[in-house]
Amino acid sequence: MRQETTPILKSRHVEMLVISTLAIIGSFVLEVGPSGCVHLSGMPFCQVPQTCFSQDIFGVSCPGCGLTRSFIHLADFNLQASLQIHRLGWLFFIVTLAQIPYRTFALRHEGSLLMSNAGGKMFGNLLIAMLIINWLIGMLFYKTIGGN
């Protein structure tokens, strides 16, 4: 599918490529400690700070809470631990991983996209809806506050 590449669209591809690459690399260089805190591998004293403003301000986890730890468990090939942390972690890991070749392709072959902008927005909205529905199911049926 050919589409004119605007500077804004090109910038978006670069942004998503960088974020996705960092997320995947982070999955391999971080680990989850016994207390559930995330830290650099082999350096438990070098913890990553909590980043959920909803948890910090309201004491309630957001729909995405647990995705970082879920990604880390998936990088360690521990699907069971990943699913316990966040039921959709595996899906978001695959989508994040797929961004790397997709965005690289889009940048190298300007104007060639596998999906239209409207399709991409619809896919993004579907993922957000899935996160929210998953979170609500956890709140209603599992009496959890987090993303699981």
Side-chain angles (χ1 to χ4, degrees):
M1 175 180 305
R2 294 290 297 165
Q3 182 175 324
E4 184 178 332
T5 304
T6 64
I8 292 172
L9 183 57
K10 187 173 182 177
S11 170
R12 180 69 174 164
H13 287 312
V14 170
E15 176 184 314
M16 291 303 296
L17 179 60
V18 168
I19 290 169
S20 299
T21 302
L22 290 174
I24 296 300
I25 290 171
S27 302
F28 288 94
V29 300
L30 297 171
E31 63 184 45
V32 180
S35 65
C37 292
V38 174
H39 58 82
L40 284 172
S41 292
M43 302 172 74
F45 54 87
C46 196
Q47 290 187 357
V48 176
Q50 167 109 358
T51 57
C52 182
F53 296 115
S54 174
Q55 182 69 40
D56 289 343
I57 295 169
F58 304 113
V60 177
S61 298
C62 72
C65 276
L67 282 174
T68 300
R69 290 174 287 143
S70 181
F71 277 34
I72 293 167
H73 287 304
L74 284 168
D76 289 337
F77 300 101
N78 190 343
L79 181 61
Q80 183 178 358
S82 173
L83 290 172
Q84 287 176 339
I85 298 290
H86 200 290
R87 286 183 298 275
L88 297 178
W90 65 273
L91 175 64
F92 281 83
F93 186 85
I94 291 170
V95 169
T96 303
L97 189 60
Q99 292 298 306
I100 297 169
Y102 174 72
R103 301 296 175 164
T104 302
F105 177 83
L107 287 167
R108 295 185 94 207
H109 306 295
E110 284 196 30
S112 296
L113 295 177
L114 302 174
M115 184 182 305
S116 69
N117 282 340
K121 287 180 182 179
M122 239 175 24
F123 184 67
N125 289 337
L126 174 66
L127 291 173
I128 291 168
M130 290 173 70
L131 273 178
I132 293 169
I133 291 167
N134 177 64
W135 179 72
L136 288 172
I137 289 170
M139 295 278 288
L140 296 171
F141 298 107
Y142 298 104
K143 295 184 177 42
T144 64
I145 301 175
N148 200 20

